[in-house]
Amino acid sequence: MSQLNDTFLRVTDRIIARSETTRAAYLDQMNRAAAKSPARAHLSCSGQAHAYAASGGDKAHLVERKAGNLGIVTAYNDMLSAHQPFEHYPALIKQAAREAGGTAQVAGGVPAMCDGVTQGEAGMELSLFSRDVIALAASVALSHATFDAAVYLGVCDKIVPGLVIAAQAFGHLPSVFLPAGPMTSGLANDEKAKVRQQFAAGEVGRETLLTAEMAAYHGPGTCTFYGTANTNQMLMEFMGLHLPGASFVPPGTALRDALTKEGAKRSLSLSALGNHYTPVCSILDEKAFVNGIVGLNATGGSTNLLIHLVAMARAGGIVLDWQDFSDLSEITPLLARVYPNGLADVNHFHAAGGLGCMIGGLLGAGLLHPDTVTVAGQGLETYTQEPVLNEGVLAWRDGAGHSLNEAILRPPHDPFQPTGGLKRLTGSLGTAVMKVSAVAPEHQVVEAPVRVFADQNEVKSAFKRGELTGDVIVVVRFQGPKANGMPELHSLTPLLAILQGRGQKVALVTDGRMSGASGKVPAAIHVSPEAVDGGAIARLQDGDLLRVDAIAGTLEILTNGVCERPAATADLTASQSGTGRELFAAFRNTVSAATDGATIFGA
């Protein structure tokens, strides 16, 4: 085993120390819950009759309680391409459970919205809150206490984090996360981005734009760029909740179906009625989260996970902060170039050696804890292997061990850059984060006057009027979780890229979010304190000088007297009703700051 990096160990130790009290309380709660399992044995006869009434041929097994009953929590809908394959998973899972001598029931469904559809629309103001709704809905599904283990069907942006939060609330149950895999490669992501910029500049019409978009997003499976959805899949593998090599196997294949069935069998085998009781609370410890943060940096993953990982960890009594991410970024080499950080998509990355190759390299460099517990057993070394079908039988073999395309995937001793893809910024404007893996070095420092907006549509209108000339830092405020749910502002990317392409120095600063696909334009996002809390961002005025420095990690107001001004206010009534937003007032009123996970749990 390689010697672990000193900083890596130091960050892990301080997380363990910081979390000592809350983690102990959580584990005590899980131990008490485990002592009551299998829970359905304690149900009344009437309760059991209700639970088993529609189970058909499985009823006798359920009544005997000799074999595990697997709860299926599904985020299926057929509007999300990534979730459409889940339509057929319950049948496969039930078949697999019967083959293992157990049973399976669909415990419940959770909502799953598409950030691609709601980008720039009112629905995006529900997106972040949907994560906590998913956690609540999954908890309702499992509250019937009839299950010995669970499988979770989810892929996309808020869905996996929400399911992980719920899995930890039921952390005494073993659980396996089952992905759907990426869609086949379509129109190259850089070509799609080029057409978007041409449309924003008025060079092509909507028909050309629609043709390009339909060619890029063309079938079942996850979008092929490396945004939040695929970052989620990476995390589930690094943190031991997927089967090894499962993340990027495409849907509709025999290997995908075999992995789904094996995941169901594995979950049952990990139950208290199986041979290897391994609850979620034993898997998702401090070391697992540190491994996940390293994976986030090594792959140049989505900035959304700086919020999600904090919330996910706190659901298990583990306290992370953004300094942990920043310190681990400083020692983690960037090993992948997947769009928007490069031209490749996740299918190319997987073919080049994928996560197994990367995990092997990071283990060798002393940048991953090798001794974590996973659904595949003890130790992360298993995740250097890849799944295959041998005459129709699922097996694992040694992975490539080295990159098959170093334009996409590199070893730790020869990275694309020596530090990770995320940067924490601090200074007189507050705290923010930036995804720097796709930002060229010459664009990582911007010092310019600001233009201040309270709405992304105002930015688009100013662009169309030709007002955004010269070097400029576009400030979009009152976009934080308490103001309007912290929507992504990804629809601003094409026009900001046009300004940058004209030779202007340009950056975005916001208390909102950017998409996991944020790329070449420097964006200091998640600014905290947010404007509605009176943060310094609420005191900026047009023309104030600001310095965004991703190299030094600073976010400084250069104009004197800004922080002594009264904080601006905004009319937020338009964000408080319509598209269901009036139903989320309680979320806006109780949500925590972005630095604390932007969650209603423990806010």
Side-chain angles (χ1 to χ4, degrees), residues 23 84 180-181 201 229 296 388 392 458 483 549 569 584 599:
R23 180 66 176 169
Q84 186 273 341
L296 180 66
V388 293
E458 293 178 3
D549 189 337
T569 58
F584 285 78
T599 177

Side-chain angles (χ1 to χ4, degrees), residues 198-212:
Q198 289 173 331
F199 177 77
E203 297 170 2
V204 300
R206 184 167 291 277
E207 183 176 342
T208 299
L209 176 66
L210 181 59
T211 299

Side-chain angles (χ1 to χ4, degrees), residues 422-588:
L422 299 169
K423 191 77 174 184
R424 179 182 182 232
L425 311 180
T426 59
S428 52
L429 194 69
T431 298
V433 292
M434 183 186 293
K435 181 175 178 177
V436 295
S437 49
V439 180
E442 63 269 22
H443 297 311
Q444 291 188 12
V445 179
V446 178
E447 184 176 309
V450 303
R451 279 292 307 273
V452 181
F453 302 92
D455 180 87
Q456 58 184 311
N457 291 322
E458 293 178 3
V459 183
K460 297 174 185 178
S461 297
F463 173 81
K464 290 177 181 178
R465 293 193 298 267
E467 296 177 4
L468 301 180
T469 58
D471 296 344
V472 62
I473 294 177
V474 174
V475 174
V476 189
R477 63 192 182 191
F478 295 101
Q479 304 298 306
K482 294 182 181 180
N484 63 352
M486 207 179 189
E488 289 183 352
L489 306 178
H490 182 55
S491 63
L492 297 180
T493 299
L495 64 89
L496 294 175
I498 290 170
L499 300 180
Q500 188 182 71
R502 291 172 180 169
Q504 297 171 237
K505 287 188 175 183
V506 59
L508 174 70
V509 172
T510 180
D511 50 8
R513 295 181 295 125
M514 278 297 270
S515 166
S518 57
K520 298 177 181 179
V521 176
I525 61 177
H526 307 175
V527 171
S528 298
E530 63 174 287
V532 81
D533 273 343
I537 193 172
R539 292 169 164 78
L540 291 173
Q541 296 176 0
D542 286 351
D544 289 339
L545 284 177
L546 199 62
R547 181 179 176 86
V548 179
D549 189 337
I551 296 175
T554 58
L555 185 60
E556 297 288 357
I557 303 168
L558 303 183
T559 299
N560 292 328
V562 169
C563 291
E564 283 71 52
R565 294 174 187 158
T569 58
D571 182 358
L572 299 173
T573 54
S575 294
Q576 294 176 1
S577 62
T579 322
R581 288 175 288 183
E582 58 271 26
L583 304 179
F584 285 78
F587 284 68
R588 292 188 296 271

